[in-house]
């Protein structure tokens, strides 16, 4: 066996052990679960960049098999499909020099699909009543909120209005749960890419600089998705087409989220163009983050008019 292959075997075995330890810690200590969900895919990605995608896949398979004996097959599959496999995709993307959009988007899609498969498998194979659990969580949350506001001396009319608003918010969460899962997986994927780039740079494996916030750009299709979601949502509500309302709501939600990110990137770029101080820059970005519709509008204008380049040239 060649020396490079020997080193690949040793490093892959060691990092597979690290994955198993982190998974066990994250399973038993909830606060460590978030750290594990970032470090585990980063570890797999580093293996893939240093030794090839074959070794990262072997690390995923090896850790999944070992964890199925140490914990349970369902936990092992959940860890392997939701976190380790997207990490292998991140490593492959670094090796192929993917752009940031593909580096973040493709692993996020895979992790979301894996999560859906786990839920469906739990419902039909293990008879887990996720619908009943969701209804129980909703009723418990409503009861706690009503009790809290009743203790504060709310009138009956105020309490009724608050309850209706709370019900609408809970219903919105339930209808956009899949999109919210994709957004969460996108955040984890981005943090994984950032950490992977830092580890690779520190180890001398690859000097890959990911674009900063001021250079983030969304495709024009995002604007079309947002507008189409609004139109279809109106059509579905007025025609009482439930499935169309559900699909269009998620289209509107994810389109608005991506437009808001474009708006934040545009705002950050403009702040840098006018050389604003760190305090004022942070304040403006915080206001833009809070005023989400303003960020969405700014993002749409930036896609249509390329505000960053226009104002950057004027500031120079």
């Amino acid at each position: 066996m060649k020396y490079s292959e020997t080193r690949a075997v040793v490093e892959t075995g060691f990092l597979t052990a690290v994955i198993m330890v982190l998974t066990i810690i994250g399973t038993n200590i909830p606060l460590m679960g978030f750290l594990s969900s970032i470090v585990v895919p980063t570890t797999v990605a580093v293996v893939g960049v240093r030794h090839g995608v074959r070794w990262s896949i072997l690390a995923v398979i090896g850790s999944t098999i070992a964890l199925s004996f140490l914990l349970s097959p369902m936990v092992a599959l959940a860890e392997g499909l939701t976190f380790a496999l997207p990490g292998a995709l991140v490593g492959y993307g670094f090796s192929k020099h993917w752009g940031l959009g593909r580096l973040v988007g493709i692993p996020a899609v895979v992790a979301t699909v894996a999560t859906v498969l786990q839920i469906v498998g739990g419902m039909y194979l293990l008879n887990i009543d996720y619908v009943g659990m969701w209804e129980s969580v909703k009723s418990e949350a409503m009861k706690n909120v009503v009790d809290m506001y009743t203790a504060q001396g709310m009138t009956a009319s105020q309490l009724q209005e608050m309850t209706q608003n709370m019900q609408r918010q809970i219903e919105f969460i339930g209808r956009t749960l899949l999109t919210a899962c994709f957004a969460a997986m996108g955040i984890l994927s981005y943090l994984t890419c950032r950490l992977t780039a830092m580890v690779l740079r520190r180890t001398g494996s690859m000097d890959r600089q990911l674009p900063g916030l001021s250079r983030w750009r969304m495709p024009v299709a995002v604007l079309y998705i947002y507008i189409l979601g609004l139109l279809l949502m109106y059509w579905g509500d007025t025609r009482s087409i439930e499935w169309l309302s559900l699909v269009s709501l998620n289209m509107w939600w994810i389109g608005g989220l991506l437009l808001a990110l474009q708006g934040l990137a545009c705002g950050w770029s403009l702040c840098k163009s006018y050389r604003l101080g760190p305090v004022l820059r942070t304040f403006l970005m915080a206001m833009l983050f809070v005023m989400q519709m303003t960020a969405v509008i700014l993002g749409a204008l930036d896609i249509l008019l390329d505000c960053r380049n226009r104002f950057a040239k004027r500031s120079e």
Side-chain angles (χ1 to χ4, degrees), residues 24-36:
I24 295 173
I25 293 175
T27 304
N28 294 278
I29 305 176
L31 294 179
M32 295 295 293
F34 177 74
L35 179 62
S36 174

Side-chain angles (χ1 to χ4, degrees), residues 141-210:
M142 287 296 302
K143 181 179 180 299
N144 292 335
V145 171
V146 170
D147 292 342
M148 180 182 65
Y149 282 110
T150 302
Q152 294 178 2
M154 267 192 174
T155 63
S157 60
Q158 291 175 333
L159 188 61
Q160 182 180 3
E161 182 181 358
M162 182 278 304
T163 303
Q164 292 175 351
N165 292 333
M166 186 70 178
Q167 288 176 344
R168 284 194 293 268
Q169 293 174 7
I170 293 177
E171 183 182 359
F172 176 81
I173 292 174
R175 291 166 66 88
T176 59
L177 198 58
L178 181 61
T179 307
C181 177
F182 172 72
M185 292 304 176
I187 294 174
L188 291 178
S189 181
Y190 174 74
L191 294 176
T192 299
C193 292
R194 279 289 179 187
L195 186 58
T196 301
M198 183 181 69
V199 172
L200 292 176
R201 187 165 53 251
R202 293 292 181 88
T203 57
S205 303
M206 176 184 291
D207 188 10
R208 171 71 185 273
Q209 298 293 332
L210 298 179

Side-chain angles (χ1 to χ4, degrees), residues 82 107-119 173 176-189 250 253-254 257:
T82 309
V109 170
V110 171
T112 304
V113 172
T115 303
V116 173
L117 291 177
Q118 292 171 47
I119 294 174
I173 292 174
T176 59
L177 198 58
L178 181 61
T179 307
C181 177
F182 172 72
M185 292 304 176
I187 294 174
L188 291 178
S189 181
N250 284 271
W253 196 90
I254 193 64
L257 177 63

Side-chain angles (χ1 to χ4, degrees), residues 10-293:
V10 173
E11 288 189 8
T12 303
F14 174 75
L15 293 177
T16 301
V18 171
I19 293 172
M20 294 166 54
V21 171
L22 289 173
T23 303
I24 295 173
I25 293 175
T27 304
N28 294 278
I29 305 176
L31 294 179
M32 295 295 293
F34 177 74
L35 179 62
S36 174
S37 63
I38 299 174
V39 177
V40 166
T42 299
T43 305
V44 177
V46 170
V47 171
V49 174
R50 289 177 60 85
H51 304 295
V53 67
R54 179 185 63 169
W55 292 100
S56 62
I57 296 298
L58 288 175
V60 173
I61 295 174
S63 61
T64 302
I65 294 175
L67 287 172
S68 65
F69 290 102
L70 295 175
L71 298 176
S72 68
M74 289 302 297
V75 173
L77 283 175
E79 184 69 23
L81 294 176
T82 309
F83 301 112
L85 183 58
L89 289 172
V90 170
Y92 181 78
F94 268 88
S95 300
K96 298 299 181 180
H97 302 284
W98 285 355
L100 183 61
R102 295 178 68 187
L103 274 175
V104 174
I106 294 178
V109 170
V110 171
T112 304
V113 172
T115 303
V116 173
L117 291 177
Q118 292 171 47
I119 294 174
V120 173
M123 291 177 62
Y124 290 98
L125 297 179
L126 302 179
N127 295 322
I128 300 176
D129 187 9
Y130 287 109
V131 177
M133 293 170 59
W134 172 249
E135 293 296 333
S136 176
V137 169
K138 285 199 302 183
S139 60
E140 185 68 23
M142 287 296 302
K143 181 179 180 299
N144 292 335
V145 171
V146 170
D147 292 342
M148 180 182 65
Y149 282 110
T150 302
Q152 294 178 2
M154 267 192 174
T155 63
S157 60
Q158 291 175 333
L159 188 61
Q160 182 180 3
E161 182 181 358
M162 182 278 304
T163 303
Q164 292 175 351
N165 292 333
M166 186 70 178
Q167 288 176 344
R168 284 194 293 268
Q169 293 174 7
I170 293 177
E171 183 182 359
F172 176 81
I173 292 174
R175 291 166 66 88
T176 59
L177 198 58
L178 181 61
T179 307
C181 177
F182 172 72
M185 292 304 176
I187 294 174
L188 291 178
S189 181
Y190 174 74
L191 294 176
T192 299
C193 292
R194 279 289 179 187
L195 186 58
T196 301
M198 183 181 69
V199 172
L200 292 176
R201 187 165 53 251
R202 293 292 181 88
T203 57
S205 303
M206 176 184 291
D207 188 10
R208 171 71 185 273
Q209 298 293 332
L210 298 179
L213 177 62
S214 61
R215 291 189 291 161
W216 286 9
R217 291 187 180 275
M218 304 297 166
V220 69
V222 171
L223 181 59
Y224 298 151
I225 291 173
Y226 181 77
I227 296 174
L228 185 60
L230 280 176
L231 295 176
L232 293 179
M233 190 162 50
Y234 172 77
W235 183 273
D237 292 340
T238 55
R239 299 296 188 276
S240 299
I241 306 175
E242 182 62 26
W243 69 267
L244 184 60
S245 298
L246 180 62
V247 172
S248 59
L249 177 64
N250 284 271
M251 290 176 60
W252 169 78
W253 196 90
I254 193 64
L257 177 63
L258 295 176
L259 284 178
L261 289 176
Q262 176 90 6
L264 290 173
C266 179
W268 185 255
S269 178
L270 293 178
C271 288
K272 291 177 63 177
S273 296
Y274 285 94
R275 298 180 177 87
L276 298 181
V279 177
L280 181 58
R281 184 189 309 174
T282 303
F283 173 76
L284 291 176
M285 292 301 296
M287 292 296 296
L288 194 61
F289 181 79
V290 173
M291 302 169 63
Q292 298 177 3
M293 186 51 64

